[in-house]
Amino acid sequence: MAQTPRSIATTESRPVRWALTTLALLFIALFLLLPLVSVFTEALRKGFGLYFEALKEPDAWSAIKLTLIAALIAVPLNLSFGLAAAWAIAKFDFKGKSILITLIDLPFSVSPVVAGLIYMLMFGTQGWIGPWLNDHDIKIVFAIPGIVLATVFVTVPFVARELIPLMEAQGSEEEQAALSLGASGWQTFYRVTLPNIKWGLLYGVILANARAMGEFGAVSVVSGHIRGQTNTIPLHVEILYNEYNFVGAFACASILALLALVTLGVKSWVEWRTEQLAARDRANAVDG
Amino acid sequence: MSIEIRNIAKRFGNFTALDHINLEVKTGELLALLGPSGCGKTTLLRIIAGLEAPDDGQILFHGEDTTEKHVRERNVGFVFQHYALFRHMTVFENVAFGLRVRPKETRPSDAEIKRKVHELLNLVQLDWLADRYPAQLSGGQRQRIALARALAVEPKVLLLDEPFGALDTKVRKELRRWLRRLHDEMHITSVFVTHDQEEALEVADRVVVMNKGKIEQLGSPSDVYDKPATPFVYQFLGDVNLFQSRVHEGWAHVGDARFAAPQGQTDQAVVYVRPHEIDVSREGGAGALSGVISHVRLLGATVRLEVDVAGQDAVEVELTRERYLQGDWKVAETVYLLPREARVYVPSAAEWTDGGGI
């Protein structure tokens, strides 16, 4: 963070500071903390036994597995795409660069439901290539491939968005130096570029993973909600809740909430670690 | 190893960075590319290195065409203005990089790498910093490490892009002397880019003065300073006063003063006089310009007088502190200026001449 000393010009009087801080804390407690706590209390309302029973139930277990599969495919795809896109955008100048940047942001700006509908329009039975897929007995929508596709779509921006500013700030002089010293393209990437962006990359992957596991809208459209087959955790939570199975719904929801907590924990650790490295550099830097 | 630059041209959109440059860098010399920013000097250096591709022309290393060769095959050492050290590697690993990335057959053993790196770190007198990270070093130290890293691959050519540009005055003076000594020991063909005329004149064997993508003059430091080929070189190397004048019967007239002028089609001429080549006196004489002192600036060892001369821009006169104290010059005093040396430029004439004093 910035090392600028605090100036009296930007410091408010004590009552104002107290009031603002209290307001912010109250808001956080009411809208963030309370719901989180309620997820766990609801899930454990009838004891640990029923809680684990709800998770072991075959449909719930299959939803957990499907969520993991979707994330396991979407996150590495996103990682390689994000890396390639950020590399291209930050280190080279080419025509259509701004279009590519805008396209990467598309999943952020479009509603996930619309994204799901696009896949229905393409691969659904009434869709453009739906009949052809049907003839060849290939199932995309209402099956795992559709869910994976939708998940990949909504997670596209995360890694690229994280890396582009970082790589642009670092420039390409270190890479040029590596090449002039005789390194190959791969050696330059592996030994110079990657170590410089590894924390940003990890941060992007964490965020992409959280989104991949928690995605509801896009997946909901293409899944078809077939119990035990095409339900991810968020979809399964909705079904259970609609069936008044509150313990089951909150038990599954608690897994997502736990994931969120773990994600936040890892994210804070990454941030802390990056800050530590920066602080070490600053502390040891000698001017002149 | 000699470098031949043949007819090199480069454009960036509508901007002509290099306009068909021809130049030869001799084996073992230290050549400076000197010019204002935007003159194309860095682009030329990057084209020699292979970091940039020319639109037209050829680069020959030792007579062999290398225009199409990739930077990694050219065996050049490149030193960047902002060092470009690998920030996540220690100083030792930075210097070792060029050796470690070699293919297995030619890669030295770990012991050999270690010996070599320490030898280079000793050469740049920074062996004690081997375990530090670049962020922990001062600017001058970083640039010396960058140089050691470039030398580790035993380059045939050393290219330096404004190597001392980001350093403060005292450090850059030290470092440029150190670079000159290093070059005298190693005799590696070197080209360095600078916008600092003092640096170019002090360090280089030969200086190339560039402007707007063209070479204005190529010569030894004393050549370019004492015998500037064009008005641009004259103005770029040091301060200069300009007098607008008219040519009449072979003489350029400025007030009562006159200077021998070359033959041209127009009677317009510009007379250039360096501030330290003007004498000041209280008595007028033949060919003296009268004016009024408007400012006196004390600049340490020298003193500058600004003199308003009728019909001309303010004239700067540089005196030693001693002579200033002897003369005891005051603001608003009327004085007479006698140029000891002058050069006359007639735009339409092929050559420009030494106008002599008075």
Side-chain angles (χ1 to χ4, degrees):
Chain A
M1 293 299 117
Q3 293 281 293
T4 335
R6 184 169 296 191
S7 153
I8 50 160
T10 53
T11 310
E12 295 297 337
S13 65
R14 194 173 287 261
V16 175
R17 270 187 288 155
W18 276 83
L20 285 174
T21 314
T22 317
L23 202 67
L25 286 178
L26 262 177
F27 186 85
I28 289 172
L30 200 62
F31 286 91
L32 294 175
L33 221 53
L34 202 63
L36 193 65
V37 173
S38 76
V39 166
F40 288 100
T41 46
E42 284 297 324
L44 296 169
R45 183 176 291 272
K46 293 186 179 153
F48 278 94
L50 268 177
Y51 175 78
F52 287 113
E53 212 47 51
L55 290 182
K56 274 197 295 198
E57 190 256 332
D59 288 352
W61 185 232
S62 119
I64 293 170
K65 273 194 292 189
L66 183 57
T67 302
L68 287 177
I69 288 169
L72 272 176
I73 298 173
V75 172
L77 271 179
N78 187 344
L79 172 77
S80 31
F81 165 77
L83 206 59
W87 168 273
I89 287 166
K91 312 265 171 175
F92 302 99
D93 275 316
F94 52 89
K95 275 185 183 159
K97 186 164 152 174
S98 54
I99 297 175
L100 182 59
I101 297 174
T102 315
L103 276 179
I104 289 174
D105 275 348
L106 189 68
F108 271 169
S109 49
V110 82
S111 161
V113 177
V114 177
L117 281 174
I118 294 166
Y119 285 110
M120 288 302 283
L121 200 64
M122 282 167 65
F123 305 119
T125 27
Q126 313 296 317
W128 297 338
I129 55 172
W132 183 87
L133 290 171
N134 215 9
D135 291 345
H136 291 78
D137 205 22
I138 303 171
K139 282 184 82 81
I140 291 188
V141 294
F142 305 143
I144 294 172
I147 290 166
V148 171
L149 275 176
T151 311
V152 169
F153 180 88
V154 294
T155 53
V156 158
F158 288 95
V159 172
R161 268 283 140 203
E162 201 57 48
L163 291 184
I164 290 167
L166 184 65
M167 287 171 110
E168 274 179 342
Q170 289 179 348
S172 57
E173 274 205 338
E174 286 184 42
E175 279 84 1
Q176 289 174 17
L179 291 171
S180 79
L181 291 166
S184 67
W186 172 247
Q187 281 173 324
T188 304
F189 174 75
Y190 187 73
R191 285 170 177 261
V192 176
T193 310
L194 205 55
N196 276 343
I197 58 166
K198 62 182 175 204
W199 293 107
L201 192 64
L202 183 59
Y203 191 63
V205 166
I206 292 167
L207 292 180
N209 184 57
R211 179 70 192 265
M213 292 191 173
E215 175 56 24
F216 180 83
V219 171
S220 171
V221 177
V222 294
S223 131
H225 303 272
I226 307 164
R227 286 186 93 140
Q229 282 180 37
T230 63
N231 264 351
T232 58
I233 304 178
L235 302 183
H236 195 61
V237 170
E238 194 207 15
I239 288 179
L240 292 174
Y241 189 80
N242 287 343
E243 290 170 351
Y244 304 104
N245 181 354
F246 294 129
V247 169
F250 280 104
C252 286
S254 72
I255 294 179
L256 286 176
L258 265 180
L259 171 78
L261 290 176
V262 170
T263 305
L264 280 177
V266 179
K267 177 175 158 284
S268 313
W269 178 74
V270 169
E271 277 173 348
W272 175 81
R273 181 89 191 120
T274 329
E275 178 57 26
Q276 280 246 308
L277 289 176
R280 188 197 64 189
D281 289 351
R282 268 202 308 274
N284 292 317
V286 192
D287 279 336
Chain B
M1 175 130 101
S2 63
I3 309 167
E4 204 184 327
I5 292 145
R6 274 194 201 155
N7 214 24
I8 287 288
K10 178 77 179 176
R11 298 177 67 85
F12 296 107
N14 286 327
F15 177 72
T16 306
L18 293 171
D19 189 3
H20 301 92
I21 296 273
N22 285 288
L23 178 67
E24 199 185 335
V25 187
K26 293 178 194 156
T27 306
E29 81 170 327
L30 178 52
L31 184 87
L33 298 177
L34 173 67
S37 58
C39 76
K41 55 194 192 298
T42 294
T43 308
L44 182 59
L45 192 80
R46 290 174 63 85
I47 286 175
I48 298 173
L51 291 169
E52 208 89 60
D55 296 339
D56 196 13
Q58 287 173 300
I59 300 286
L60 286 84
F61 278 15
H62 209 70
E64 186 196 341
D65 190 350
T66 47
T67 319
E68 299 297 320
K69 268 197 181 172
H70 192 272
V71 53
R72 87 173 71 93
E73 290 153 13
R74 290 198 192 192
N75 199 9
V76 296
F78 200 97
V79 175
F80 295 81
Q81 182 180 0
H82 297 290
Y83 331 119
L85 291 175
F86 306 127
R87 68 194 89 188
H88 63 282
M89 292 182 202
T90 60
V91 163
F92 181 95
E93 285 304 320
N94 263 281
V95 179
F97 184 88
L99 303 170
R100 291 212 198 278
V101 296
R102 283 197 188 160
K104 261 212 179 77
E105 312 87 68
T106 55
R107 193 188 308 152
S109 68
D110 275 358
E112 176 63 18
I113 289 177
K114 198 171 172 188
R115 191 193 61 75
K116 182 103 194 243
V117 171
H118 282 297
E119 186 187 302
L120 282 160
L121 287 176
N122 276 320
L123 181 74
V124 299
Q125 297 152 5
L126 292 175
D127 198 30
W128 53 288
L129 290 175
D131 297 326
R132 301 276 187 92
Y133 283 88
Q136 299 167 270
L137 309 182
S138 72
Q141 290 169 338
R142 283 184 218 182
Q143 199 55 294
R144 282 193 277 167
I145 297 300
L147 194 62
R149 180 179 70 175
L151 292 172
V153 293
E154 288 170 15
K156 287 182 240 154
V157 173
L158 190 60
L159 306 170
L160 306 105
D161 182 12
E162 303 238 10
F164 314 129
L167 305 171
D168 58 52
T169 322
K170 194 156 173 283
V171 179
R172 55 191 298 168
K173 279 191 176 161
E174 269 169 40
L175 269 190
R176 70 191 188 213
R177 268 165 218 158
W178 173 81
L179 175 71
R180 181 67 236 187
R181 281 201 305 275
L182 195 73
H183 185 266
D184 289 341
E185 283 168 29
M186 305 185 63
H187 293 293
I188 177 169
T189 309
S190 309
V191 181
F192 83 101
V193 158
T194 179
H195 62 264
D196 180 344
Q197 35 109 2
E198 205 182 298
E199 191 170 293
L201 297 180
E202 182 179 335
V203 175
D205 294 317
R206 290 197 301 160
V207 178
V208 178
V209 185
M210 293 181 67
N211 183 33
K212 292 180 180 161
K214 287 191 165 157
I215 292 178
E216 293 270 336
Q217 189 172 4
L218 164 64
S220 70
S222 62
D223 274 352
V224 292
Y225 189 79
D226 296 331
K227 296 179 209 125
T230 64
F232 173 81
V233 178
Y234 200 71
Q235 290 183 67
F236 192 72
L237 296 179
D239 297 318
V240 66
N241 290 302
L242 272 76
F243 297 95
Q244 302 298 331
S245 84
R246 288 192 175 277
V247 180
H248 185 66
E249 289 173 351
W251 294 93
H253 293 268
V254 181
D256 286 343
R258 62 176 201 172
F259 308 92
Q263 198 58 46
Q265 272 121 41
T266 62
D267 61 353
Q268 299 288 330
V270 184
V271 179
Y272 294 92
V273 184
R274 295 218 186 270
H276 65 267
E277 292 172 344
I278 300 178
D279 284 334
V280 197
S281 83
R282 289 205 169 84
E283 281 117 55
L289 289 164
S290 70
V292 179
I293 297 176
S294 61
H295 289 285
V296 176
R297 298 182 214 284
L298 306 169
L299 305 167
T302 61
V303 177
R304 284 196 169 209
L305 307 182
E306 211 174 290
V307 182
D308 287 334
V309 175
Q312 301 290 347
D313 294 335
V315 179
E316 284 211 325
V317 181
E318 192 173 294
L319 300 174
T320 60
R321 198 172 180 87
E322 262 176 17
R323 292 194 53 180
Y324 166 74
L325 292 172
Q326 277 170 14
D328 191 26
W329 308 103
K330 297 265 173 9
V331 171
E333 204 175 343
T334 300
V335 290
Y336 296 90
L337 306 177
L338 286 145
R340 292 193 302 273
E341 299 275 342
R343 295 184 71 86
V344 182
Y345 177 65
V346 177
S348 56
E351 288 283 311
W352 63 327
T353 60
D354 196 336
I358 317 174

